[in-house]
Amino acid sequence: MKFKVTPKLQLNAALGDDNPFASELREYNGNTGYYGTLLSRNLSPFFNVIYQPRSDTIVSLEYQRLKTYTLDTASDSSNHVDLSMGYIF
């Protein structure tokens, strides 16, 4: 989703979700990958604010939460905050 508040300010949001059926994952229980367990779901909401104070400068603040679930245990999560600045030439 994208929402332009003013010509110089915009808000963006997105959601990524990878969630296969557990029955399909259990068929391939021999392939555990690098983590030693089957990863069953990845969820990633994202939000950012982009501000253009001048015609040649952009500033962006971004937040993303990554959440990974394994097949039979609890989830692990991490938060990511990023501040970026760009110059248009």
Side-chain angles (χ1 to χ4, degrees):
M1 292 179 12
K2 180 178 191 173
F3 180 68
K4 279 196 147 184
V5 180
T6 68
K8 294 186 173 201
L9 180 68
Q10 62 178 294
L11 307 174
N12 300 293
L15 176 68
D17 188 15
D18 178 21
N19 190 10
F21 295 111
S23 61
E24 293 174 348
L25 291 173
R26 291 184 198 286
E27 290 179 23
Y28 303 102
N29 60 2
N31 184 9
T32 57
Y34 296 110
Y35 300 105
T37 59
L38 286 172
L39 300 178
S40 63
R41 181 179 184 192
N42 288 310
L43 182 66
S44 178
F46 161 87
F47 176 77
N48 76 358
V49 176
I50 299 174
Y51 178 63
Q52 190 170 1
R54 297 178 18 164
S55 63
D56 60 353
T57 308
I58 294 175
V59 178
S60 174
L61 178 65
E62 173 182 309
Y63 170 75
Q64 183 176 19
R65 181 171 177 86
L66 303 169
K67 196 162 190 177
T68 299
Y69 298 83
T70 54
L71 190 58
D72 293 320
T73 59
S75 64
D76 292 317
S77 63
S78 69
N79 297 310
H80 179 88
V81 177
D82 189 33
L83 178 63
S84 302
M85 188 173 204
Y87 183 77
I88 301 170
F89 55 93

